[in-house]
PDB file of all heavy atoms in Angstrom:
ATOM      1  N   ARG A  11     -14.932   5.800  -3.589  1.00 86.00           N
ATOM      2  CA  ARG A  11     -15.505   5.525  -2.248  1.00 86.00           C
ATOM      3  C   ARG A  11     -14.828   4.366  -1.498  1.00 86.00           C
ATOM      4  O   ARG A  11     -14.605   4.315  -0.430  1.00 86.00           O
ATOM      5  CB  ARG A  11     -17.023   5.389  -2.231  1.00 86.00           C
ATOM      6  CG  ARG A  11     -17.755   6.758  -2.667  1.00 86.00           C
ATOM      7  CD  ARG A  11     -19.229   6.459  -2.821  1.00 86.00           C
ATOM      8  NE  ARG A  11     -19.888   7.808  -3.149  1.00 86.00           N
ATOM      9  CZ  ARG A  11     -19.886   8.271  -4.292  1.00 86.00           C
ATOM     10  NH1 ARG A  11     -19.155   7.805  -5.309  1.00 86.00           N
ATOM     11  NH2 ARG A  11     -20.542   9.486  -4.552  1.00 86.00           N
ATOM     12  N   LEU A  12     -14.616   3.256  -2.355  1.00 86.00           N
ATOM     13  CA  LEU A  12     -14.156   2.081  -1.781  1.00 86.00           C
ATOM     14  C   LEU A  12     -12.662   2.234  -1.319  1.00 86.00           C
ATOM     15  O   LEU A  12     -12.161   1.786  -0.316  1.00 86.00           O
ATOM     16  CB  LEU A  12     -14.200   0.857  -2.859  1.00 86.00           C
ATOM     17  CG  LEU A  12     -13.838  -0.456  -2.390  1.00 86.00           C
ATOM     18  CD1 LEU A  12     -14.781  -0.829  -1.242  1.00 86.00           C
ATOM     19  CD2 LEU A  12     -13.983  -1.469  -3.507  1.00 86.00           C
ATOM     20  N   MET A  13     -11.896   3.024  -2.129  1.00 85.00           N
ATOM     21  CA  MET A  13     -10.501   3.280  -1.771  1.00 85.00           C
ATOM     22  C   MET A  13     -10.439   4.134  -0.539  1.00 85.00           C
ATOM     23  O   MET A  13      -9.650   4.019   0.391  1.00 85.00           O
ATOM     24  CB  MET A  13      -9.782   4.084  -2.941  1.00 85.00           C
ATOM     25  CG  MET A  13      -9.305   3.253  -4.054  1.00 85.00           C
ATOM     26  SD  MET A  13      -8.200   4.055  -5.122  1.00 85.00           S
ATOM     27  CE  MET A  13      -9.288   4.795  -6.250  1.00 85.00           C
ATOM     28  N   LYS A  14     -11.399   5.081  -0.348  1.00 82.00           N
ATOM     29  CA  LYS A  14     -11.529   5.922   0.834  1.00 82.00           C
ATOM     30  C   LYS A  14     -11.819   5.162   2.020  1.00 82.00           C
ATOM     31  O   LYS A  14     -11.183   5.301   3.130  1.00 82.00           O
ATOM     32  CB  LYS A  14     -12.480   6.980   0.601  1.00 82.00           C
ATOM     33  CG  LYS A  14     -12.512   8.088   1.672  1.00 82.00           C
ATOM     34  CD  LYS A  14     -13.561   9.168   1.470  1.00 82.00           C
ATOM     35  CE  LYS A  14     -13.313   9.947   0.222  1.00 82.00           C
ATOM     36  NZ  LYS A  14     -14.197  11.083   0.182  1.00 82.00           N
ATOM     37  N   GLU A  15     -12.800   4.245   1.917  1.00 82.00           N
ATOM     38  CA  GLU A  15     -13.182   3.412   3.074  1.00 82.00           C
ATOM     39  C   GLU A  15     -12.048   2.482   3.493  1.00 82.00           C
ATOM     40  O   GLU A  15     -11.871   2.269   4.680  1.00 82.00           O
ATOM     41  CB  GLU A  15     -14.395   2.537   2.749  1.00 82.00           C
ATOM     42  CG  GLU A  15     -15.687   3.394   2.548  1.00 82.00           C
ATOM     43  CD  GLU A  15     -16.856   2.508   2.076  1.00 82.00           C
ATOM     44  OE1 GLU A  15     -16.661   1.283   1.981  1.00 82.00           O
ATOM     45  OE2 GLU A  15     -17.762   3.124   1.641  1.00 82.00           O
ATOM     46  N   SER A  16     -11.166   2.063   2.595  1.00 81.00           N
ATOM     47  CA  SER A  16     -10.079   1.141   2.922  1.00 81.00           C
ATOM     48  C   SER A  16      -9.012   1.757   3.771  1.00 81.00           C
ATOM     49  O   SER A  16      -8.321   1.089   4.494  1.00 81.00           O
ATOM     50  CB  SER A  16      -9.494   0.586   1.669  1.00 81.00           C
ATOM     51  OG  SER A  16      -8.808   1.557   0.999  1.00 81.00           O
ATOM     52  N   LEU A  17      -9.029   3.088   3.672  1.00 79.00           N
ATOM     53  CA  LEU A  17      -7.974   3.775   4.515  1.00 79.00           C
ATOM     54  C   LEU A  17      -8.288   3.913   5.978  1.00 79.00           C
ATOM     55  O   LEU A  17      -7.413   4.170   6.892  1.00 79.00           O
ATOM     56  CB  LEU A  17      -7.735   5.115   3.899  1.00 79.00           C
ATOM     57  CG  LEU A  17      -7.051   5.140   2.571  1.00 79.00           C
ATOM     58  CD1 LEU A  17      -6.922   6.555   1.905  1.00 79.00           C
ATOM     59  CD2 LEU A  17      -5.629   4.550   2.616  1.00 79.00           C
ATOM     60  N   LYS A  18      -9.634   3.810   6.278  1.00 72.00           N
ATOM     61  CA  LYS A  18     -10.065   3.863   7.670  1.00 72.00           C
ATOM     62  C   LYS A  18      -9.536   5.078   8.478  1.00 72.00           C
ATOM     63  O   LYS A  18      -9.036   4.883   9.520  1.00 72.00           O
ATOM     64  CB  LYS A  18      -9.766   2.583   8.347  1.00 72.00           C
ATOM     65  CG  LYS A  18     -10.343   1.270   7.753  1.00 72.00           C
ATOM     66  CD  LYS A  18     -10.063   0.138   8.475  1.00 72.00           C
ATOM     67  CE  LYS A  18     -10.625  -1.083   7.830  1.00 72.00           C
ATOM     68  NZ  LYS A  18     -11.949  -1.116   7.473  1.00 72.00           N
ATOM     69  N   LEU A  19      -9.668   6.294   7.799  1.00 71.00           N
ATOM     70  CA  LEU A  19      -9.168   7.490   8.454  1.00 71.00           C
ATOM     71  C   LEU A  19     -10.341   8.409   8.738  1.00 71.00           C
ATOM     72  O   LEU A  19     -10.055   9.645   8.987  1.00 71.00           O
ATOM     73  CB  LEU A  19      -8.208   8.214   7.460  1.00 71.00           C
ATOM     74  CG  LEU A  19      -6.825   7.507   7.269  1.00 71.00           C
ATOM     75  CD1 LEU A  19      -6.069   8.216   6.253  1.00 71.00           C
ATOM     76  CD2 LEU A  19      -6.061   7.305   8.538  1.00 71.00           C
ATOM     77  N   GLY A  20     -11.609   7.920   8.867  1.00 65.00           N
ATOM     78  CA  GLY A  20     -12.677   8.743   9.136  1.00 65.00           C
ATOM     79  C   GLY A  20     -13.059   9.822   8.159  1.00 65.00           C
ATOM     80  O   GLY A  20     -13.729  10.800   8.519  1.00 65.00           O
ATOM     81  N   THR A  21     -12.733   9.569   6.828  1.00 62.00           N
ATOM     82  CA  THR A  21     -13.053  10.545   5.844  1.00 62.00           C
ATOM     83  C   THR A  21     -14.045   9.987   4.785  1.00 62.00           C
ATOM     84  O   THR A  21     -14.289  10.649   3.810  1.00 62.00           O
ATOM     85  CB  THR A  21     -11.747  10.929   5.037  1.00 62.00           C
ATOM     86  OG1 THR A  21     -11.209   9.773   4.374  1.00 62.00           O
ATOM     87  CG2 THR A  21     -10.690  11.495   5.992  1.00 62.00           C
ATOM     88  N   ARG A  22     -14.676   8.820   5.102  1.00 63.00           N
ATOM     89  CA  ARG A  22     -15.536   8.214   4.088  1.00 63.00           C
ATOM     90  C   ARG A  22     -16.664   9.061   3.720  1.00 63.00           C
ATOM     91  O   ARG A  22     -17.212   8.948   2.649  1.00 63.00           O
ATOM     92  CB  ARG A  22     -15.901   6.776   4.546  1.00 63.00           C
ATOM     93  CG  ARG A  22     -16.753   6.946   5.934  1.00 63.00           C
ATOM     94  CD  ARG A  22     -17.153   5.421   6.341  1.00 63.00           C
ATOM     95  NE  ARG A  22     -17.965   4.861   5.385  1.00 63.00           N
ATOM     96  CZ  ARG A  22     -18.493   3.503   5.478  1.00 63.00           C
ATOM     97  NH1 ARG A  22     -18.054   2.812   6.567  1.00 63.00           N
ATOM     98  NH2 ARG A  22     -19.258   3.044   4.606  1.00 63.00           N
ATOM     99  N   ASN A  23     -17.207   9.753   4.635  1.00 66.00           N
ATOM    100  CA  ASN A  23     -18.417  10.539   4.405  1.00 66.00           C
ATOM    101  C   ASN A  23     -18.107  11.941   3.881  1.00 66.00           C
ATOM    102  O   ASN A  23     -19.094  12.781   3.649  1.00 66.00           O
ATOM    103  CB  ASN A  23     -19.305  10.714   5.693  1.00 66.00           C
ATOM    104  CG  ASN A  23     -19.791   9.358   6.175  1.00 66.00           C
ATOM    105  OD1 ASN A  23     -20.172   8.525   5.371  1.00 66.00           O
ATOM    106  ND2 ASN A  23     -19.798   9.097   7.454  1.00 66.00           N
ATOM    107  N   VAL A  24     -16.862  12.267   3.591  1.00 67.00           N
ATOM    108  CA  VAL A  24     -16.530  13.602   2.993  1.00 67.00           C
ATOM    109  C   VAL A  24     -16.239  13.328   1.443  1.00 67.00           C
ATOM    110  O   VAL A  24     -15.227  12.942   1.173  1.00 67.00           O
ATOM    111  CB  VAL A  24     -15.359  14.114   3.692  1.00 67.00           C
ATOM    112  CG1 VAL A  24     -15.073  15.624   3.082  1.00 67.00           C
ATOM    113  CG2 VAL A  24     -15.537  14.371   5.134  1.00 67.00           C
ATOM    114  N   ALA A  25     -17.271  13.664   0.549  1.00 72.00           N
ATOM    115  CA  ALA A  25     -17.171  13.283  -0.789  1.00 72.00           C
ATOM    116  C   ALA A  25     -16.271  14.253  -1.535  1.00 72.00           C
ATOM    117  O   ALA A  25     -16.038  15.479  -1.062  1.00 72.00           O
ATOM    118  CB  ALA A  25     -18.523  13.288  -1.376  1.00 72.00           C
ATOM    119  N   ILE A  26     -15.745  13.863  -2.647  1.00 73.00           N
ATOM    120  CA  ILE A  26     -14.964  14.726  -3.522  1.00 73.00           C
ATOM    121  C   ILE A  26     -15.914  15.594  -4.231  1.00 73.00           C
ATOM    122  O   ILE A  26     -17.023  15.088  -4.886  1.00 73.00           O
ATOM    123  CB  ILE A  26     -14.116  13.870  -4.572  1.00 73.00           C
ATOM    124  CG1 ILE A  26     -13.103  13.091  -3.745  1.00 73.00           C
ATOM    125  CG2 ILE A  26     -13.445  14.835  -5.529  1.00 73.00           C
ATOM    126  CD1 ILE A  26     -12.331  12.142  -4.590  1.00 73.00           C
ATOM    127  N   ASP A  27     -15.687  16.903  -4.232  1.00 71.00           N
ATOM    128  CA  ASP A  27     -16.678  17.867  -4.957  1.00 71.00           C
ATOM    129  C   ASP A  27     -16.507  17.591  -6.393  1.00 71.00           C
ATOM    130  O   ASP A  27     -15.420  17.752  -6.971  1.00 71.00           O
ATOM    131  CB  ASP A  27     -16.255  19.281  -4.512  1.00 71.00           C
ATOM    132  CG  ASP A  27     -17.140  20.293  -5.198  1.00 71.00           C
ATOM    133  OD1 ASP A  27     -18.129  19.874  -6.008  1.00 71.00           O
ATOM    134  OD2 ASP A  27     -17.019  21.448  -4.931  1.00 71.00           O
ATOM    135  N   PRO A  28     -17.673  17.123  -7.111  1.00 69.00           N
ATOM    136  CA  PRO A  28     -17.493  16.962  -8.637  1.00 69.00           C
ATOM    137  C   PRO A  28     -17.244  18.266  -9.358  1.00 69.00           C
ATOM    138  O   PRO A  28     -16.868  18.004 -10.601  1.00 69.00           O
ATOM    139  CB  PRO A  28     -18.879  16.326  -8.942  1.00 69.00           C
ATOM    140  CG  PRO A  28     -19.806  16.742  -7.798  1.00 69.00           C
ATOM    141  CD  PRO A  28     -18.897  16.902  -6.615  1.00 69.00           C
ATOM    142  N   ASP A  29     -17.464  19.305  -8.786  1.00 67.00           N
ATOM    143  CA  ASP A  29     -17.163  20.597  -9.588  1.00 67.00           C
ATOM    144  C   ASP A  29     -15.657  21.049  -9.396  1.00 67.00           C
ATOM    145  O   ASP A  29     -15.265  22.154  -9.858  1.00 67.00           O
ATOM    146  CB  ASP A  29     -18.144  21.707  -8.957  1.00 67.00           C
ATOM    147  CG  ASP A  29     -19.489  21.353  -9.478  1.00 67.00           C
ATOM    148  OD1 ASP A  29     -19.707  20.824 -10.529  1.00 67.00           O
ATOM    149  OD2 ASP A  29     -20.420  21.722  -8.573  1.00 67.00           O
ATOM    150  N   SER A  30     -14.841  20.405  -8.462  1.00 72.00           N
ATOM    151  CA  SER A  30     -13.536  20.762  -8.243  1.00 72.00           C
ATOM    152  C   SER A  30     -12.740  20.676  -9.631  1.00 72.00           C
ATOM    153  O   SER A  30     -13.022  19.726 -10.384  1.00 72.00           O
ATOM    154  CB  SER A  30     -12.842  19.845  -7.287  1.00 72.00           C
ATOM    155  OG  SER A  30     -13.572  20.053  -6.015  1.00 72.00           O
ATOM    156  N   GLU A  31     -11.726  21.489  -9.787  1.00 74.00           N
ATOM    157  CA  GLU A  31     -10.905  21.464 -11.058  1.00 74.00           C
ATOM    158  C   GLU A  31      -9.921  20.324 -10.850  1.00 74.00           C
ATOM    159  O   GLU A  31      -9.401  20.076  -9.697  1.00 74.00           O
ATOM    160  CB  GLU A  31     -10.364  22.753 -11.371  1.00 74.00           C
ATOM    161  CG  GLU A  31     -11.291  23.822 -11.666  1.00 74.00           C
ATOM    162  CD  GLU A  31     -11.906  23.549 -12.999  1.00 74.00           C
ATOM    163  OE1 GLU A  31     -11.400  22.869 -13.938  1.00 74.00           O
ATOM    164  OE2 GLU A  31     -13.150  24.002 -13.147  1.00 74.00           O
ATOM    165  N   ALA A  32      -9.553  19.645 -11.874  1.00 73.00           N
ATOM    166  CA  ALA A  32      -8.521  18.639 -11.786  1.00 73.00           C
ATOM    167  C   ALA A  32      -7.202  19.023 -11.191  1.00 73.00           C
ATOM    168  O   ALA A  32      -6.678  18.396 -10.392  1.00 73.00           O
ATOM    169  CB  ALA A  32      -8.278  17.960 -13.209  1.00 73.00           C
ATOM    170  N   ASP A  33      -6.768  20.257 -11.549  1.00 78.00           N
ATOM    171  CA  ASP A  33      -5.504  20.752 -11.054  1.00 78.00           C
ATOM    172  C   ASP A  33      -5.500  20.905  -9.558  1.00 78.00           C
ATOM    173  O   ASP A  33      -4.586  20.641  -8.851  1.00 78.00           O
ATOM    174  CB  ASP A  33      -5.224  22.199 -11.648  1.00 78.00           C
ATOM    175  CG  ASP A  33      -4.726  22.092 -13.130  1.00 78.00           C
ATOM    176  OD1 ASP A  33      -4.470  20.904 -13.626  1.00 78.00           O
ATOM    177  OD2 ASP A  33      -4.807  23.104 -13.774  1.00 78.00           O
ATOM    178  N   GLU A  34      -6.734  21.314  -9.060  1.00 82.00           N
ATOM    179  CA  GLU A  34      -6.845  21.319  -7.537  1.00 82.00           C
ATOM    180  C   GLU A  34      -6.791  19.995  -6.991  1.00 82.00           C
ATOM    181  O   GLU A  34      -6.149  19.882  -5.829  1.00 82.00           O
ATOM    182  CB  GLU A  34      -8.156  22.061  -7.243  1.00 82.00           C
ATOM    183  CG  GLU A  34      -8.556  22.123  -5.804  1.00 82.00           C
ATOM    184  CD  GLU A  34      -9.958  22.668  -5.543  1.00 82.00           C
ATOM    185  OE1 GLU A  34     -10.446  23.351  -6.424  1.00 82.00           O
ATOM    186  OE2 GLU A  34     -10.469  22.274  -4.507  1.00 82.00           O
ATOM    187  N   LEU A  35      -7.531  18.981  -7.529  1.00 81.00           N
ATOM    188  CA  LEU A  35      -7.576  17.647  -6.937  1.00 81.00           C
ATOM    189  C   LEU A  35      -6.256  16.816  -7.025  1.00 81.00           C
ATOM    190  O   LEU A  35      -6.018  16.017  -6.287  1.00 81.00           O
ATOM    191  CB  LEU A  35      -8.700  16.913  -7.674  1.00 81.00           C
ATOM    192  CG  LEU A  35     -10.128  17.286  -7.376  1.00 81.00           C
ATOM    193  CD1 LEU A  35     -11.022  16.611  -8.304  1.00 81.00           C
ATOM    194  CD2 LEU A  35     -10.490  17.001  -5.907  1.00 81.00           C
ATOM    195  N   LEU A  36      -5.413  17.287  -8.003  1.00 81.00           N
ATOM    196  CA  LEU A  36      -4.018  16.686  -8.160  1.00 81.00           C
ATOM    197  C   LEU A  36      -2.979  17.347  -7.367  1.00 81.00           C
ATOM    198  O   LEU A  36      -1.927  16.835  -7.388  1.00 81.00           O
ATOM    199  CB  LEU A  36      -3.724  16.651  -9.580  1.00 81.00           C
ATOM    200  CG  LEU A  36      -4.726  15.818 -10.501  1.00 81.00           C
ATOM    201  CD1 LEU A  36      -4.332  15.932 -12.055  1.00 81.00           C
ATOM    202  CD2 LEU A  36      -4.633  14.393 -10.162  1.00 81.00           C
ATOM    203  N   ALA A  37      -3.327  18.399  -6.676  1.00 86.00           N
ATOM    204  CA  ALA A  37      -2.344  19.126  -5.836  1.00 86.00           C
ATOM    205  C   ALA A  37      -2.187  18.314  -4.448  1.00 86.00           C
ATOM    206  O   ALA A  37      -3.158  17.759  -4.108  1.00 86.00           O
ATOM    207  CB  ALA A  37      -2.710  20.520  -5.643  1.00 86.00           C
ATOM    208  N   PRO A  38      -1.093  18.462  -3.777  1.00 88.00           N
ATOM    209  CA  PRO A  38      -0.976  17.926  -2.466  1.00 88.00           C
ATOM    210  C   PRO A  38      -2.074  18.424  -1.485  1.00 88.00           C
ATOM    211  O   PRO A  38      -2.377  19.672  -1.530  1.00 88.00           O
ATOM    212  CB  PRO A  38       0.374  18.287  -1.926  1.00 88.00           C
ATOM    213  CG  PRO A  38       1.184  18.585  -3.273  1.00 88.00           C
ATOM    214  CD  PRO A  38       0.184  19.100  -4.192  1.00 88.00           C
ATOM    215  N   GLY A  39      -2.621  17.545  -0.667  1.00 83.00           N
ATOM    216  CA  GLY A  39      -3.697  17.966   0.241  1.00 83.00           C
ATOM    217  C   GLY A  39      -2.941  18.647   1.384  1.00 83.00           C
ATOM    218  O   GLY A  39      -1.943  18.385   1.883  1.00 83.00           O
ATOM    219  N   ARG A  40      -3.710  19.771   2.025  1.00 85.00           N
ATOM    220  CA  ARG A  40      -3.179  20.445   3.030  1.00 85.00           C
ATOM    221  C   ARG A  40      -3.865  20.125   4.494  1.00 85.00           C
ATOM    222  O   ARG A  40      -3.685  20.748   5.403  1.00 85.00           O
ATOM    223  CB  ARG A  40      -3.362  21.902   2.865  1.00 85.00           C
ATOM    224  CG  ARG A  40      -2.310  22.372   1.675  1.00 85.00           C
ATOM    225  CD  ARG A  40      -2.534  23.865   1.348  1.00 85.00           C
ATOM    226  NE  ARG A  40      -3.877  24.037   0.757  1.00 85.00           N
ATOM    227  CZ  ARG A  40      -4.300  25.276   0.390  1.00 85.00           C
ATOM    228  NH1 ARG A  40      -3.496  26.354   0.566  1.00 85.00           N
ATOM    229  NH2 ARG A  40      -5.478  25.521  -0.144  1.00 85.00           N
ATOM    230  N   ASN A  41      -4.689  19.100   4.527  1.00 87.00           N
ATOM    231  CA  ASN A  41      -5.294  18.529   5.737  1.00 87.00           C
ATOM    232  C   ASN A  41      -5.524  17.066   5.303  1.00 87.00           C
ATOM    233  O   ASN A  41      -5.472  16.588   4.196  1.00 87.00           O
ATOM    234  CB  ASN A  41      -6.437  19.223   6.200  1.00 87.00           C
ATOM    235  CG  ASN A  41      -7.481  19.382   5.077  1.00 87.00           C
ATOM    236  OD1 ASN A  41      -8.040  18.340   4.552  1.00 87.00           O
ATOM    237  ND2 ASN A  41      -7.944  20.590   4.661  1.00 87.00           N
ATOM    238  N   THR A  42      -5.984  16.182   6.348  1.00 85.00           N
ATOM    239  CA  THR A  42      -6.140  14.818   6.068  1.00 85.00           C
ATOM    240  C   THR A  42      -7.223  14.479   5.063  1.00 85.00           C
ATOM    241  O   THR A  42      -7.054  13.566   4.176  1.00 85.00           O
ATOM    242  CB  THR A  42      -6.407  14.102   7.435  1.00 85.00           C
ATOM    243  OG1 THR A  42      -5.293  14.242   8.366  1.00 85.00           O
ATOM    244  CG2 THR A  42      -6.659  12.532   7.229  1.00 85.00           C
ATOM    245  N   VAL A  43      -8.304  15.204   5.202  1.00 85.00           N
ATOM    246  CA  VAL A  43      -9.450  15.016   4.215  1.00 85.00           C
ATOM    247  C   VAL A  43      -8.841  15.283   2.732  1.00 85.00           C
ATOM    248  O   VAL A  43      -9.140  14.571   1.822  1.00 85.00           O
ATOM    249  CB  VAL A  43     -10.618  15.762   4.509  1.00 85.00           C
ATOM    250  CG1 VAL A  43     -11.683  15.729   3.386  1.00 85.00           C
ATOM    251  CG2 VAL A  43     -11.344  15.342   5.789  1.00 85.00           C
ATOM    252  N   GLU A  44      -8.323  16.325   2.555  1.00 85.00           N
ATOM    253  CA  GLU A  44      -7.716  16.737   1.158  1.00 85.00           C
ATOM    254  C   GLU A  44      -6.677  15.656   0.726  1.00 85.00           C
ATOM    255  O   GLU A  44      -6.700  15.273  -0.390  1.00 85.00           O
ATOM    256  CB  GLU A  44      -7.136  18.111   1.280  1.00 85.00           C
ATOM    257  CG  GLU A  44      -8.139  19.254   1.192  1.00 85.00           C
ATOM    258  CD  GLU A  44      -7.463  20.541   0.920  1.00 85.00           C
ATOM    259  OE1 GLU A  44      -6.158  20.639   0.837  1.00 85.00           O
ATOM    260  OE2 GLU A  44      -8.154  21.588   0.860  1.00 85.00           O
ATOM    261  N   ALA A  45      -5.820  15.272   1.634  1.00 88.00           N
ATOM    262  CA  ALA A  45      -4.799  14.374   1.404  1.00 88.00           C
ATOM    263  C   ALA A  45      -5.412  12.985   0.779  1.00 88.00           C
ATOM    264  O   ALA A  45      -5.004  12.434  -0.101  1.00 88.00           O
ATOM    265  CB  ALA A  45      -3.845  14.116   2.512  1.00 88.00           C
ATOM    266  N   VAL A  46      -6.401  12.539   1.516  1.00 86.00           N
ATOM    267  CA  VAL A  46      -7.030  11.312   1.096  1.00 86.00           C
ATOM    268  C   VAL A  46      -7.805  11.458  -0.199  1.00 86.00           C
ATOM    269  O   VAL A  46      -7.634  10.750  -1.119  1.00 86.00           O
ATOM    270  CB  VAL A  46      -8.091  10.872   2.206  1.00 86.00           C
ATOM    271  CG1 VAL A  46      -8.966   9.712   1.722  1.00 86.00           C
ATOM    272  CG2 VAL A  46      -7.292  10.342   3.451  1.00 86.00           C
TER     273      VAL A  46
END
């Protein structure tokens, strides 16, 4: 959360889904929220 807030890109309130698979989270993001 602290890393996300430091970017100041308006994504701080969009949490990472804890049920996401690691392979998905390590892939390049296809929008700003995913990229962050």
